[in-house]
Amino acid sequence: MLRYIGKRFLLILPTIFVPLIMVFLLLRLSPGDPAGMILGDQATAEQIAALRAELGLNEPLGVQFVIWLKNIVTLDLGNSLFFRDPVVEIIPRYAGVTVGLATIALVLAILIAVIAGSFSALKRNSIVDRSIVTTTVLGISVPEFWFALILVFVFAVTLRWLPVAGYTPPSAGIIAWGTSIALPALALGIRQSALMTRMMRSSMLDVLGEPYITTARAQGLPEHVVIGRYAMKTAAIPVVTVVGLSAGYMLGGTVAIEIIFALPGLGRLLVEAVARRDFPVVEGGVLAISLILAALNLIIDIIYAIIDPRIRYK
Amino acid sequence: MQDRTNPPNPGLDGDDKEIVVVTKPVWQRLLANPTAVISVLCLMVLVLGSVFANAVAGSDPLRINPSIRFKPPSFEFPFGTDNLGRDMFKIVLHGGKTSLLVGAVVTIISMTVATVLGLLAGYYRRVDMFLMRFVDGLMSFPAIVLATAMTGYLGPSVGTVVTSLSIVLIAPSLRVVRGQVLVVRELQMIEAARAVGVPTMRIFTKYILPAVSSPILVQASFIFSAAILSEAALSFIGLGIGSEDISWGNALTESRNYVSRAPWIVMFPGLALMLAILALNLLGDALRDVLDPKLARRR
């Protein structure tokens, strides 16, 4: 098991570094002087020269890369050009919100998918099945930021069940936090939930046709044991494999969702940093999202190896 | 038995080497597929609507007319008017032009690059190692975040959106093309061609490319829908095409402040967007069913 974890760990390194390298190259290779871009039109030549020196832009690209890599590994990301605080201190304040939101959305999506997908497969070709399948087709095509606006209209404006926007930290009460994060999580989870439901249904149909299910039934096991313990567990394996990919999509989705619901998360920080040309924060945000994703993928891989022992020995 | 350790990932498993005899041309088989027909019709309505937006809805969609602010949908304004008194019907039709055009251009660029790189990666093992690690890194990372960062450096404009989306959408297609090439290169026809001394370039264009064209076509329709969606998301957060142009995503940016007062401003651009994405997704599914019956999804 340890060897397996070690191997997975090596494989996630590209996940962390490829986006960062792209950001590194973008800043250095994009047309125009990055220092001039950061400082804006009113900057004097001295200011630009000083910033160029501070950012190390006068070195050759190879040297810059080595210095940059060393800074990344030692988490020395510099100071925000806007907040003036070190980037390493700013990022964690925002990351918690995003991780909480994405986790709730992911759990919600998996729950809906496992239940709806299994149900759909068990009642194959019934009206319920057809409507679930149709809903998934619609769900895959709905833009989450638009769905979020519709949710706001229905649940916040018309029914007044939940707040329109705003964030309550978990420290102020778990229920208050839950209500502030319910609509964003639902909006964020809808597409992935639809994709996973489709997958769960198709894999459940496969499993239900397996001889071991017939055997279990022939032995007189109650149906809920056959389905719950034997069929659903096996059928959920393909769904677990895509959770990592789904988490990636969701972290991307948080950008628009956090803006709509005014949540102080990483996505919003990133967009604001881009607008302010606060490049150290942009780099830090990309790094944070890579790290979150890598950690999540590692956790998923381990869970995966636990529920499906065949994986470990490959 | 199916190998359940992999997700149902059509096109990546190299188990289908049977030769399928095609009797009817593709378009005839597509015509017999109701999903394909409906989705193509939907797309045609959207494309024609935006191409002939001037004739259908009138020109100058961005003209402000304060005397008719927040009018609900009526005979005169089928989609109502927005906070500045602009006709939403015009905005949706004219916005479609940008959305569909950006989607099409991004699809063409990213699919072309992905096809070339996919052919190389699938055929030459050494290129493969390097390229696929890169693709792994790109794939797992949210495209929108990367595109957001890119817009930061390049500034919001149609050109930036096209560039950044083309780059981030190469990865998924590259993986599909490469997977197909890995299967095809093992076929006997390739070995035979090599044995009789067919130049490598010709093997690519005459043997491998035609064999992998179906999955490329299927993938293209999914990339098209992903491109439209991503452009909309970027424009929605204000980092897309800039405020001088209109697109469906752009039209939703301001509307979100008027959800309670004038829900139709939110409704119609979103519906158009969803219809385009839905039609493209269904078309992709239908194409897959028609072109590659062995990969057809379960009904």
Side-chain angles (χ1 to χ4, degrees), chain B:
Chain B
M1 198 193 83
Q2 225 187 321
D3 178 10
R4 237 176 295 289
T5 54
N6 281 315
N9 208 351
L12 294 189
D13 315 317
D15 55 347
D16 46 335
K17 288 180 186 167
E18 276 173 39
I19 296 158
V20 182
V21 181
V22 177
T23 45
K24 281 186 195 165
V26 171
W27 62 269
Q28 266 186 19
R29 280 182 291 152
L30 267 181
L31 273 182
N33 184 316
T35 317
V37 174
I38 294 172
S39 44
V40 168
L41 281 180
C42 274
L43 285 174
M44 267 167 64
V45 168
L46 289 168
V47 170
L48 292 177
S50 34
V51 170
F52 298 107
N54 277 335
V56 180
S59 57
D60 209 5
L62 290 177
R63 202 184 55 214
I64 293 166
N65 186 352
S67 62
I68 50 162
R69 299 169 69 215
F70 296 121
K71 292 270 182 257
S74 63
F75 186 72
E76 196 188 354
F77 304 109
F79 292 177
T81 62
D82 71 356
N83 54 315
L84 299 171
R86 299 179 298 189
D87 184 353
M88 286 310 289
F89 189 54
K90 279 186 196 173
I91 289 191
V92 169
L93 289 193
H94 284 271
K97 229 181 289 180
T98 321
S99 296
L100 294 169
L101 195 66
V102 168
V105 174
V106 167
T107 309
I108 292 169
I109 298 177
S110 65
M111 288 308 296
T112 310
V113 177
T115 305
V116 172
L117 291 180
L119 285 173
L120 293 175
Y123 201 75
Y124 298 107
R125 306 300 301 158
R126 239 172 289 168
V127 184
D128 191 45
M129 262 305 284
F130 174 76
L131 219 51
M132 287 328 282
R133 292 293 79 73
F134 195 75
V135 166
D136 284 344
L138 264 189
M139 275 286 278
S140 52
F141 199 76
I144 285 289
V145 173
L146 216 50
T148 303
M150 282 190 203
T151 324
Y153 299 116
L154 305 172
S157 75
V158 174
T160 307
V161 173
V162 170
T163 313
S164 56
L165 290 184
S166 298
I167 293 175
V168 293
L169 289 175
I170 288 172
S173 317
L174 175 51
R175 205 179 246 188
V176 169
V177 177
R178 171 212 177 240
Q180 290 294 317
V181 175
L182 281 182
V183 176
V184 173
R185 68 187 280 254
E186 300 300 328
L187 294 184
Q188 280 184 348
M189 65 165 183
I190 305 296
E191 205 185 323
R194 242 186 268 152
V196 295
V198 178
T200 313
M201 200 53 210
R202 222 179 129 72
I203 292 184
F204 277 137
T205 54
K206 287 280 169 189
Y207 294 82
I208 299 182
L209 199 55
V212 300
S213 62
S214 301
I216 291 179
L217 206 58
V218 174
Q219 180 69 8
S221 65
F222 292 130
I223 291 295
F224 201 155
S225 88
I228 291 182
L229 180 65
S230 312
E231 183 276 322
L234 277 177
S235 295
F236 178 76
I237 56 177
L239 294 173
I241 56 165
S243 48
E244 297 84 33
D245 283 303
I246 27 169
S247 76
W248 291 326
N250 215 343
L252 285 168
T253 311
E254 269 193 57
S255 73
R256 69 166 197 265
N257 300 318
Y258 306 100
V259 176
S260 52
R261 188 159 177 202
W264 56 88
I265 316 181
V266 177
M267 236 18 229
F268 292 105
L271 278 179
L273 185 59
M274 188 170 157
L275 192 65
I277 296 167
L278 182 65
L280 283 165
N281 285 346
L282 289 176
L283 182 65
D285 284 345
L287 273 173
R288 181 158 61 203
D289 291 353
V290 168
L291 293 173
D292 216 339
K294 290 197 77 179
L295 297 179
R297 86 208 130 99
R298 178 185 300 278
R299 296 247 161 235

Side-chain angles (χ1 to χ4, degrees), chain A residues 39-163:
Chain A
L39 292 171
D41 300 333
Q42 274 103 45
T44 61
E46 289 84 49
Q47 284 174 316
I48 291 180
L51 187 65
R52 278 190 70 88
E54 192 193 324
L55 295 176
L57 292 172
N58 297 324
E59 310 286 339
L61 200 62
V63 177
Q64 283 188 42
F65 183 75
V66 174
I67 296 172
W68 170 86
L69 197 64
K70 191 199 118 214
N71 289 345
I72 294 276
V73 174
T74 54
L75 283 182
D76 177 10
L77 299 171
N79 290 344
S80 157
L81 301 171
F82 178 80
F83 297 107
R84 300 281 155 201
D85 292 340
V87 173
V88 230
E89 286 173 21
I90 297 170
I91 300 286
R93 279 184 246 154
Y94 293 84
V97 178
T98 301
V99 171
L101 172 63
T103 312
I104 299 288
L106 205 57
V107 171
L108 213 62
I110 296 173
L111 274 180
I112 294 175
V114 167
I115 295 170
S118 311
F119 201 71
S120 197
L122 287 169
K123 307 270 174 210
R124 194 180 180 183
N125 289 333
S126 67
I127 297 173
V128 185
D129 177 34
R130 298 244 169 88
S131 34
I132 288 178
V133 170
T134 314
T135 314
T136 61
V137 172
L138 290 175
I140 289 166
S141 305
V142 71
E144 54 272 268
F145 57 92
W146 182 65
F147 188 64
L149 294 175
I150 303 290
L151 285 178
V152 167
F153 179 69
V154 175
F155 292 103
V157 175
T158 312
L159 297 172
R160 292 177 186 280
W161 288 353
L162 294 160

